[in-house]
Amino acid sequence: MSGPHGPATGAAPTETAPTETAPTEELLIVGAGGFARETAQAVRDAEAADLAAGRAPRRRLAGHLDDDPALHGREVDGVPVLGGTGLVHERPAARVVVCVGSPRDYGVRARLVRRLALPESRYATVVHPTAALSGSSVLGPGTVLLAHCVLTAAVRVGAHVAVMPHVVLTHDDEVGDFATLASGVRLGGGVRLGRGAYVGAGALVREYIEVGAWSLTGMGSTVLADVPAGEVWAGSPARRLREAGGPALDELRADELETGLRPETRMGSTAA
């Protein structure tokens, strides 16, 4: 888990809450699909909450960046698609959040972050104003918490993690970088979710379970046993279906080469 930062409520936990005189940051959202649109709405809802509280908005949503040329110059839900992802390098003052990925290719966010090669300080952390983030919990850069998420006590979430609406993370959970928790996921206490793991909508994970790196847990599953790295599990109780798809396995192998860790131990770092 890389670079977790201090807690906040209803605002990105990496920085001080805005004041009336604080400058408003420009934010670029990389991607223009469903997750990116939901993140854009979270940013606009946070802006509205700031204004309602008499504060200067923390961020101004500048637009989406997407490598599909058919989208360039168009608007998505009223937000312009400014051009390709390379524009992040032409606007060095803007903060960035990468909002791509799906169950078909949940390694794409990690690949894109590597390709952009931005310093960690460029990445924003987006928290919807209705999310409940405890003072003892931490989030990494580039992570997104959407509406009505709950992080109860001493939860550690890594970098570039996608946390969809109504996810509940309970005491001492650890979530590795690039993981995805789809809508309605519930993790019992002390769960360790590995780097890049994808947990499908409505899945339940028993306390103190380890879900391995770059694994995929199917929607509605009940996870009662550890899930090995790079495997697809589903059902109630969840059982192994098959090996994960090629992009996820490529990420798993790349992690092994970089760290020298066996797949079953690649759960994401635990930096303080």
Side-chain angles (χ1 to χ4, degrees):
M1 193 185 301
S2 72
H5 297 276
T9 302
T14 53
E15 297 139 20
T16 309
T19 65
E20 293 187 16
T21 58
T24 299
E25 295 180 331
E26 180 180 73
L27 181 68
L28 297 169
I29 295 178
V30 175
F35 176 33
R37 293 169 57 200
E38 291 173 331
T39 301
Q41 187 61 56
V43 173
R44 289 183 289 187
D45 289 350
E47 179 181 0
D50 283 338
L51 291 171
R55 300 188 295 257
R58 183 182 194 82
R59 297 193 173 104
R60 179 183 69 83
L61 182 55
H64 295 280
L65 302 179
D66 197 283
D67 289 329
D68 181 357
L71 295 175
H72 298 173
R74 298 177 59 183
E75 290 191 346
V76 177
D77 300 335
V79 180
V81 181
L82 303 174
T85 58
L87 287 178
V88 296
H89 302 291
E90 299 179 19
R91 302 174 81 148
R95 303 295 293 279
V96 178
V97 63
V98 177
C99 298
V100 296
S102 74
R104 293 176 297 279
D105 183 3
Y106 49 99
V108 64
R109 194 156 62 249
R111 295 198 304 273
L112 189 47
V113 167
R114 281 199 305 272
R115 178 161 65 83
L116 294 177
L118 296 174
E120 187 176 277
S121 60
R122 285 288 306 276
Y123 285 107
T125 302
V126 175
V127 178
H128 192 279
T130 63
L133 177 59
S134 69
S136 58
S137 297
V138 292
L139 304 177
T143 284
V144 176
L145 263 60
L146 292 179
H148 304 291
C149 293
V150 177
L151 280 65
T152 62
V155 176
R156 296 161 58 80
V157 178
H160 307 289
V161 175
V163 186
M164 302 301 180
H166 293 279
V167 168
V168 176
L169 306 180
T170 54
H171 67 88
D172 304 306
D173 287 340
E174 295 185 11
V175 179
D177 301 342
F178 301 108
T180 300
L181 297 99
S183 301
V185 167
R186 304 288 193 269
L187 302 188
V191 168
R192 295 185 69 207
L193 188 64
R195 178 181 173 90
Y198 189 106
V199 183
L204 307 176
V205 182
R206 185 178 182 174
E207 67 273 12
Y208 301 108
I209 291 294
E210 294 196 0
V211 179
W214 301 106
S215 63
L216 186 148
T217 302
M219 61 191 304
S221 297
T222 304
V223 182
L224 303 179
D226 291 349
V227 176
E231 293 188 3
V232 176
W233 282 45
S236 185
R239 294 181 173 86
R240 185 187 192 276
L241 296 184
R242 56 178 173 82
E243 194 172 58
L249 293 181
D250 289 344
E251 291 299 324
L252 182 60
R253 294 183 188 109
D255 289 347
E256 293 171 45
L257 289 172
E258 180 181 349
T259 65
L261 294 178
R262 299 189 310 278
E264 61 269 26
T265 65
R266 184 57 175 166
M267 302 297 299
S269 66
T270 54

